[in-house]
Amino acid sequence: DLSIYDINESFLLASDYSRAELLGKSVYDLNVFDHANELEEATSQLAAQGSFSSREMQFIAKSGRRIQSLVSATFIEINEEPCILCIVKNVNDLRQAEENLKLSEQRFRGAFENSPVGIVLIDLDGNIFQANNFATEVLGYEKDPLEGIHISRLIPPEDRGQLKETLDRLINGGDDTVRTERRMLREDSLEIWTNFHIVMQRDSAGEPAYLIGQIADISEMKNSQRKMERMAFYDTLTNLANRRLFYDRLGQAIDHAQRSNHLSALLYLDLDQFKRVNDTLGHEIGDILLQEISTRLTGCVRKEDTVARPGGDEFTILLFDIKSPSDASLVADKILKTLRQPLTISGHQLVITTSIGITIIPQDGTDPNSLTKNADLAMYRAKEAGRNIYQFYSEEMNTNAIKRLKTEYELRRAMERSEFELYYQPKVRLSDQQIVGVECLIRWNHPERGVLAPVEFIEVAEETGAIVDMGNWIIAEACQTGSLLCEQAQRNFQIAINISPRQFKDPNLVSTIQRSLRETGLNPATLEIEITETMLMGDVDAANQTVHRLHDLGVRLAIDDFGTGYSSLSYLKKFPIDTVKVDRSFIMDIPSSSDDKAITSAVIAMAHKLNMEVVAEGVETKAQLEFLLTHRCEYAQGYLFSKPLPLSNLRHMIQPNVRIMRSP
Ligand code: C2E
Ligand code: MG
Ligand code: MG
């Protein structure tokens, strides 16, 4: 009848019954089982098997509270009476916890799936193993699952290295979260901008378990940000830099100039009579005009320069890192020429001119305000002087600019008027003081200024390109003189010509030389071409080609002004060089400067090792000659022997067997 024989305290406590209420009562009578069949099943199992363990059963406490329990039962004997020992374990709390967990998991899943942020769970190899709806949507993976693909597939190829580093830092380094702003790739290859946060999840032992990635699409924000940035730094009408960006670049140019001794220039432009166009033809045409002018201005400068429109019909231009102020005048000239080309807008033919003021950075100012103010001042002077011209802020530079312009203009006519003449400086063999050759040095017989040396005009000729015509004339003239001198001296006579950087780059140089050689019948071996180290250093491949083509012609090659460039003899070894001319600046201070003596003797010794001949330039004293003789320098030029001479004065010096100096 299953009446209760004894109960322990724990059961009483849990069931709210007192001992008296239970002792001797049959369990069938008590209302402690929730389901009658549970008791039924339990007793029949007990009857069949003699015991059971951990059956899940529900008891009802006196108060009606349900107690989830695990029950084990077995037969025992008490006082030789068969009894059943029942052990009841209360698992209410455990079941409750399980229930709570299920609920919270549901909540979490709800939050995960419906979050307005894309979430992906990533394993430690970088593979996505779970993704929420939003991630799928944002990344456009509606058809294919995101699950199973590698996270790097979502990143543009050029950013993948960076992503790998980030993951490494999370997995192997100490970081637990990394927040980045990065571009991601949708399945349709479209790029979006995202805030991408990755959080490391660790297991209870603190070991990396997996990663949570959160993705927020910020493309729209980025776009408007970019638009705003553009508006903040660029002029909307012309797309040129605005005042703010210009000042910023100007500041950089000032820093650069002060740090590294480089020049930059600020050009301040004001269109002449723009107001009249605006007033008579209307703002719309005025706007189109400003746009057209912006395009023209941009076409006049290099890409490292900045053209800006601070407002109205004013433009500013920053020429970054120029070689000399004359570069600024070249650009200003180009702008004046380009702008005054007529243009047609809606049937109206317009000619626009401009006035330009120029300041040089850093000499005309070292802060953006004063530089701009000074350029503005110079611009007003240009207006006063009659418009369509440029003016430097500094008077000295204006004078130079005018002189330069004049030289440029006169140079163009000098060729036609045969104002150039070659002078010849003898080159002397030191062992017997015989003249073995001459170097051609150009002079300009200027109608007003007299005989001009190259310093007065070579640079302008180089910059304007006039040097190429001039150079061709020099080559022809030199070859002619060369064959004449060979005939007169009745021996091979060397004739050297200087080639300028621009000429050296001229693709026709080699064929011009070849033609002159052919026309005069001059033996190529008597012609020596002088180039400088710097010409061999820029575009090495092109230089190498030119040098080899010259070498193949059979002409000799000399390095002029050696020691003033940045190369070394071992660098020059790559090229087929015959002669090294030691620069006058080293010879000048011999014998007083021990440094120069050391350098000169070292250059001579090394050149000989490399099978090159050495010519000392600018020898003026006997002491220098002594030194050169002692160190086995084989040739020299200089006032000690002769200044450069016109051909008529040279002739008598090169009769056979004339020694240039009597022995001391
Ligand atoms: P460079 O080729 O190094 O010419 C040597 C210069 O030193 C010449 O100056 C010459 O007159 C001067 N000189 C020679 N011996 C002495 C001396 O003992 N003392 C002093 N103080 N000076 C001496 P120049 O003729 O004024 O030519 C200067 C530079 O102009 C040349 O330097 C050369 O680079 C360039 N040049 C001259 N003629 C031509 C030419 O026809 N074409 C090219 N592209 N450049 C030329
Ligand atoms: Mg020379
Ligand atoms: Mg020289």
Side-chain angles (χ1 to χ4, degrees), residues 12-73:
L12 293 175
L13 213 67
S15 65
D16 309 330
Y17 287 102
S18 67
R19 188 177 296 267
E21 283 172 311
L22 295 180
L23 273 184
K25 298 272 167 50
S26 163
V27 287
Y28 290 116
D29 301 338
L30 282 168
N31 186 27
V32 293
F33 285 103
D34 193 20
H35 306 291
N37 56 339
E38 257 184 15
L39 181 63
E40 215 57 70
E41 275 173 32
T43 43
S44 54
Q45 189 181 3
L46 191 63
Q49 292 167 2
S51 70
F52 63 78
S53 67
S54 297
R55 279 189 75 93
E56 183 131 11
M57 300 174 81
Q58 255 187 18
F59 286 96
I60 302 171
K62 190 181 173 192
S63 61
R65 198 161 50 85
R66 286 163 197 279
I67 304 165
Q68 199 67 29
S69 313
L70 286 181
V71 181
S72 303

Side-chain angles (χ1 to χ4, degrees), residues 439 498 530 560-562 581-584 617:
E439 175 179 4
N498 294 284
E530 295 191 5
D560 203 356
D561 306 340
F562 183 77
K581 299 188 76 172
V582 181
D583 191 65
R584 189 167 75 87
E617 296 189 273

Side-chain angles (χ1 to χ4, degrees), residues 613-633:
E613 293 182 342
V614 182
V615 182
E617 296 189 273
V619 178
E620 294 184 351
T621 67
K622 286 247 167 69
Q624 290 163 355
L625 175 61
E626 288 303 320
F627 179 86
L628 294 168
L629 275 168
T630 321
H631 289 89
R632 300 178 190 284
C633 173

Side-chain angles (χ1 to χ4, degrees), residues 3 21 31 50 73 77 101 141 165 184 323 354 362 415 487 499 653:
S3 57
E21 283 172 311
N31 186 27
E77 271 186 16
L101 192 66
Y141 275 78
E165 264 171 42
M184 294 187 87
K323 282 201 293 297
T354 183
M415 212 47 208
E487 209 173 282
I499 296 293
M653 295 180 73

